[in-house]
Every structure is written in structure tokens, then in C-alpha cells.
């Protein structure tokens, strides 16, 4: 790892000020992606601004069906939250399947979505749940937030403070994990609520997480695994890499969508 | 350089370290606690697992500075005059061959036992295998590691 200057932020405003003062600053959340990237010398920020000490950014609030998760809440804390499991079990299951136990004790929801890895789990969940991403400047709808491969609607220096969503009537998540990394080779999150069905796919698209219109239309008419069989799933725009090709991923979308509904 | 202070195995540790110092390097190079191992250095293998504030973390993927004020427990901090029940279980069940992964396995094992106990869940064989996803043994010894953790969990419950 190259030299870096470490700062611990006392508050969100303090983090924003420290970021502005740095020549090439980077916010540090759980560090489970950023630190390995820095160790590989694929990232070399001049300054790291650690958000770990900001208590306001940590915690899960469930009020009726309204869910708010602080940006620095770890995957383990989401996975272990009994109240959240009652209203939205799929997001709890999703968090409990990220990485491994030690990674889940450090990695955070804010860090995950700010990175927007094309094979990460949370982007699929938040997109399918029509979540709102809260920052220190504004609120961003998930549809506008996930803009492509490792890119988001965040402006320079903008800090995610929380995500919120209304727990749907029903939802589900299934992923086919890469056996080594546990990242999704394909993951599908389905949700149904308020008359609308949303289906988000991660790990498969060459431009990151996306909604699948064909599946959404079919499941709007018939919320069943059988309905998935009638949907044409194109391999166009899907990733091919050493793990599998686009056609295989197209089949995984179908298989994971069925498991997510079941 | 950053001034850091934390509690490691019950003792105060204080040092001035380069800002990019990883927790594992602070433990090994500064405190000479070389029981925590660096296996892959890419967050995969779990040989570097220690407890920070009671939770298992990969110490190769955390800055020492981020552990400011934390309670850190390493493999050296488990035994108290005699082997910790989980250490004894690994010994008795042949839960190791070369031993390189063992400190991380044991720190992950005691973490999972504590978490399942706190949640009131049964730590089944299947659960143990799932919980060990972040710990790699390259001597192909998982069966005995799983048996050791089952035995260690029973010993911890009895002690």
C-alpha cells in the first residue's frame, strides 16, 4: 500500500470538510473493498477519511413498514436484526450472504453501494425495493443512483448517510455465489408491493445492476416461478468472463428468479 | 505517522505507526504477536482473524488506526494458564496438519460459538461449515476442523 494520510471523522460535516481539504481524498467505510484495492496499488488516495466513529450513521430503524438503515451499519448488523427480518426477510438474507462472517463484521451498506460493484448484492436489493439513498446533501432514488459499472449518482465528496425503503408485501433474493469470492455470479431480487413488481439483477449485466422488464411484466400478471419460464431472457449486454459466459448468466437469471420467488 | 492506542489481550498498547499500517502488521511487527498469520493478504484465507470488540475480523483488511480505542484479542490472548477449550479441542481432534491456518480457525470458531449462543441458535455441523467460508485450510483438513469446533463448542458450553 502506498503512503496515505489517515483522518478519523467526528461527524458527517467533519468528514465532508476533511474530504474537501484533501488533494485526492477517499472516504473509508468498512474498508473490505477499498483496503484490498489499495494493497494491490489499484487505488492510491492521498488521504483516507474514516467514517467509523460517527455514531449517527449506524443502526437499523423499523417503524411499521418503513425501514431506515444507517450507512455505516455492517452487513452482520443487518443480517442479525430480528425486527427487520419480520418485515423484509429478503434483505436480511441478502446481508447474511455477503462475503464471510469476518467480512460481514466490517463491511457496510453505505460502502457497498458507494462502490457499486457489478457483482455486489446490495445494489440489487435496493433497486428492487425502490429504496431512497440519503446523503449529506439530498435524497436520491435507487433508479437514479446506480448508474453503471462502479459508478453512482453521487457527486464528488457527497456522503451517504442512510438508505430507506418501505418493506414490500413480499420479496425474495437468490444468488449463485462464486465459490471463491462469494460475489454473485448472478443474483436476482424480486419484490411485490403496492401493485408494482420490481426485479433487479446483479452480477450479470456488463453495465452493472439492472431491472429486468420482461420478468417484471410476467410477474405482475402471475407472481409464480412458473411465470418465469415464459419470459425470454436475452444474453445481450450480459458479462462473459473466466467464471462463465453471457448465455450461462442468462440461464442463471431465470434460475435465480425462480428461487427468489419460491 | 498516527498515534494509536488500543487494548490487546487485556494490556494497553500504544504506538506511533505509519498511517497505512494494517492491524495485522501492528500486531506482528510492533507487538511481536506472531500467532496471527498472514496467509493470502487478500481477505480470502482467514489466517489473520482476530477479535475486535468481540467480533471476528480479518486483521489484514483493517487499518491499525481504525482500531483506535478497541479491545483486540489474538490467539495469544485465548489461553489462560492452560489451553482454551477450543484450542484443546483442535489438539484432541487432530484439527490441524501444518497449523498455519489454525490461529484464524480458532478465532473464527470462538466467534461463531459466541454469536450462536447469543442468538440462541444451535451451531450445527452444517452451520459450522457455512461459518467457515472465510477460513481456508490447504492441508485439506476440514472434516477434523469441523469436529474440533463441535467438540470445542460443547467444551465451552460446559466450562
Amino acid at each position: 500500500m502506498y503512503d496515505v494520510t489517515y483522518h478519523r471523522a467526528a461527524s458527517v460535516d467533519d468528514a465532508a470538510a476533511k474530504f474537501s481539504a484533501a488533494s485526492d481524498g477517499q472516504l473509508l467505510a468498512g474498508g473490505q473493498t477499498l483496503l484490498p484495492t489499495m494493497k494491490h496499488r489499484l487505488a492510491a488516495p492521498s488521504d483516507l477519511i474514516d467514517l467509523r466513529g460517527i455514531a449517527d450513521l449506524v443502526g437499523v430503524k423499523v417503524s411499521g413498514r418503513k425501514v431506515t438503515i444507517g450507512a455505516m451499519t455492517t452487513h452482520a448488523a443487518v443480517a442479525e436484526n430480528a425486527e427487520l427480518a419480520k418485515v423484509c426477510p429478503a434483505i436480511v438474507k441478502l446481508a447474511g450472504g455477503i462475503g464471510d462472517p469476518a467480512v460481514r463484521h466490517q463491511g457496510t451498506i453505505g460502502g457497498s453501494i458507494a462502490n457499486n460493484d457489478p457483482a455486489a448484492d446490495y445494489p440489487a436489493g435496493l433497486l428492487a425495493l425502490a429504496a431512497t439513498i440519503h446523503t449529506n446533501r439530498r435524497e436520491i432514488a435507487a433508479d437514479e443512483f446506480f448508474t453503471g459499472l462502479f459508478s453512482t449518482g453521487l457527486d464528488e465528496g457527497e456522503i451517504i448517510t442512510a438508505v430507506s425503503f418501505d418493506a414490500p408485501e413480499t420479496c425474495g433474493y437468490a444468488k449463485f455465489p462464486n465459490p471463491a469470492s462469494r460475489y454473485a455470479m448472478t443474483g436476482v431480487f424480486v419484490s411485490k408491493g403496492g401493485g408494482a413488481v420490481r426485479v433487479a439483477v446483479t452480477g450479470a449485466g456488463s453495465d452493472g445492476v439492472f431491472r429486468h422488464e420482461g420478468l417484471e411484466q410476467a410477474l405482475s400478471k402471475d407472481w409464480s416461478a412458473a411465470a418465469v419460464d415464459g419470459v425470454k431472457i436475452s444474453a445481450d449486454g450480459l458479462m462473459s468472463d473466466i467464471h462463465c459466459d453471457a448465455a450461462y448468466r442468462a440461464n442463471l437469471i431465470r434460475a435465480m428468479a425462480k428461487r427468489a420467488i419460491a | 505517522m498516527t498515534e494509536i492506542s488500543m487494548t490487546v489481550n487485556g494490556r494497553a498498547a500504544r504506538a506511533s505507526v505509519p498511517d497505512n499500517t494494517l492491524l495485522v502488521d501492528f500486531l506482528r511487527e510492533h507487538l511481536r504477536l506472531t500467532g496471527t498469520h498472514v496467509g493470502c493478504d487478500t481477505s480470502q484465507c482467514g489466517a489473520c482473524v482476530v477479535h475486535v470488540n468481540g467480533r471476528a475480523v480479518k486483521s489484514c483488511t483493517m487499518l491499525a488506526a481504525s482500531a483506535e480505542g478497541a479491545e483486540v484479542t489474538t490467539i495469544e490472548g485465548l489461553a489462560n494458564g492452560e489451553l482454551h477449550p477450543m484450542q484443546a479441542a483442535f489438539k484432541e481432534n487432530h484439527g490441524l496438519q501444518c497449523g498455519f491456518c489454525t490461529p484464524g480457525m480458532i478465532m473464527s470458531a470462538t466467534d461463531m460459538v459466541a454469536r450462536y449462543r447469543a442468538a440462541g441458535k444451535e451451531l450445527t455441523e452444517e452451520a459450522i461449515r457455512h461459518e467457515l467460508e472465510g477460513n481456508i485450510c490447504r492441508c485439506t483438513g476440514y472434516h477434523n476442523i469441523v469436529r474440533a469446533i463441535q467438540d470445542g463448542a460443547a467444551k465451552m458450553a460446559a466450562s
Side-chain angles (χ1 to χ4, degrees):
Chain A
M1 192 189 297
Y2 289 112
D3 285 344
V4 68
T5 302
Y6 175 89
H7 309 266
R8 177 171 283 233
S11 65
V12 174
D13 288 345
D14 184 38
K18 286 185 160 94
F19 184 92
S20 301
S23 63
D24 181 19
Q26 181 83 49
L27 300 168
L28 174 64
Q32 301 303 284
T33 298
L34 179 57
L35 293 176
T37 308
M38 289 174 68
K39 285 160 73 175
H40 283 125
R41 299 189 168 182
L42 296 169
S46 64
D47 296 72
L48 281 178
I49 296 99
D50 195 345
L51 304 174
R52 189 177 294 252
I54 307 175
D56 296 351
L57 298 183
V58 180
V60 178
K61 282 189 213 116
V62 180
S63 174
R65 298 199 68 79
K66 177 90 181 165
V67 176
T68 306
I69 304 174
M72 286 295 288
T73 308
T74 63
H75 309 323
V78 173
E80 292 166 2
N81 192 290
E83 266 189 291
L84 183 56
K86 279 185 208 147
V87 298
C88 191
I91 201 78
V92 167
K93 178 187 172 191
L94 176 152
I98 299 172
D100 60 52
V103 168
R104 292 194 287 274
H105 287 153
Q106 296 272 79
T108 66
I109 189 168
S112 171
I113 62 171
N115 189 47
N116 194 17
D117 188 298
D121 298 283
Y122 269 129
L126 298 193
L127 190 57
L129 291 167
T132 301
I133 289 85
H134 302 254
T135 77
N136 58 337
R137 298 176 195 170
R138 60 191 165 134
E139 295 180 359
I140 310 172
D143 282 311
E144 275 79 54
F145 183 86
F146 300 106
T147 53
L149 221 56
F150 295 105
S151 67
T152 67
L154 291 171
D155 291 330
E156 180 79 359
E158 189 169 9
I159 301 171
I160 300 168
T161 54
V163 303
S164 66
F165 58 87
D166 291 319
E169 289 160 31
T170 182
C171 57
Y173 181 63
K175 75 164 163 176
F176 193 86
N178 179 306
S181 71
R182 309 293 171 196
Y183 272 98
M185 277 167 59
T186 290
V188 177
F189 200 110
V190 296
S191 101
K192 181 173 81 162
V197 168
R198 290 170 69 101
V199 178
V201 180
T202 190
S206 51
D207 200 27
V209 68
F210 66 94
R211 286 172 63 189
H212 199 288
E213 284 176 26
L215 286 170
E216 289 184 355
Q217 283 168 9
L219 292 172
S220 297
K221 294 189 194 108
D222 175 14
W223 180 262
S224 72
V228 172
D229 280 326
V231 179
K232 184 180 179 308
I233 297 177
S234 169
D236 293 347
L238 301 188
M239 281 190 282
S240 283
D241 56 25
I242 58 166
H243 306 302
C244 64
D245 64 16
Y248 190 87
R249 280 193 165 87
N251 188 59
L252 279 179
I253 291 173
R254 185 183 308 284
M256 293 305 112
K258 285 171 140 179
R259 283 187 199 173
I261 290 164
Chain B
M1 303 291 275
T2 293
E3 297 290 327
I4 56 171
S5 66
M6 64 188 81
T7 305
V8 180
N9 299 334
R11 290 186 192 167
R14 184 180 297 272
S16 180
V17 298
D19 291 21
N20 63 0
T21 303
L22 296 167
L23 179 59
V24 70
D25 293 326
F26 175 66
L27 295 171
R28 288 179 56 84
E29 307 298 331
H30 292 258
L31 302 182
R32 305 312 252 176
L33 292 169
T34 54
T36 301
H37 291 166
V38 178
C40 65
D41 213 17
T42 56
S43 322
Q44 309 277 329
C45 80
C48 68
V49 169
V50 302
H51 297 180
V52 175
N53 295 329
R55 289 294 192 125
V57 306
K58 293 187 169 175
S59 62
C60 82
T61 313
M62 180 174 188
L63 291 175
S66 289
E68 172 68 29
E71 298 268 349
V72 178
T73 306
T74 71
I75 188 72
E76 290 91 342
L78 279 193
N80 183 17
E82 55 190 57
L83 289 180
H84 182 278
M86 189 60 75
Q87 291 174 307
F90 269 69
K91 183 183 171 201
E92 288 159 19
N93 290 276
H94 301 282
L96 60 143
Q97 289 184 40
C98 86
F100 193 88
C101 72
T102 311
M105 290 285 179
I106 289 174
M107 298 312 285
S108 286
T110 53
D111 172 72
M112 74 177 79
V113 170
R115 278 188 289 112
Y116 275 66
R117 184 187 289 173
K121 289 193 294 186
E122 187 190 355
L123 187 61
T124 61
E125 180 190 337
E126 188 188 353
I128 292 169
R129 290 184 186 276
H130 185 66
E131 289 287 330
L132 281 178
E133 278 179 350
N135 292 80
I136 295 174
C137 166
R138 291 295 78 161
C139 299
T140 188
Y142 293 105
H143 289 320
N144 283 355
I145 289 169
V146 172
R147 284 189 197 113
I149 294 173
Q150 288 177 297
D151 185 27
K155 286 183 160 82
M156 283 171 71
S159 67

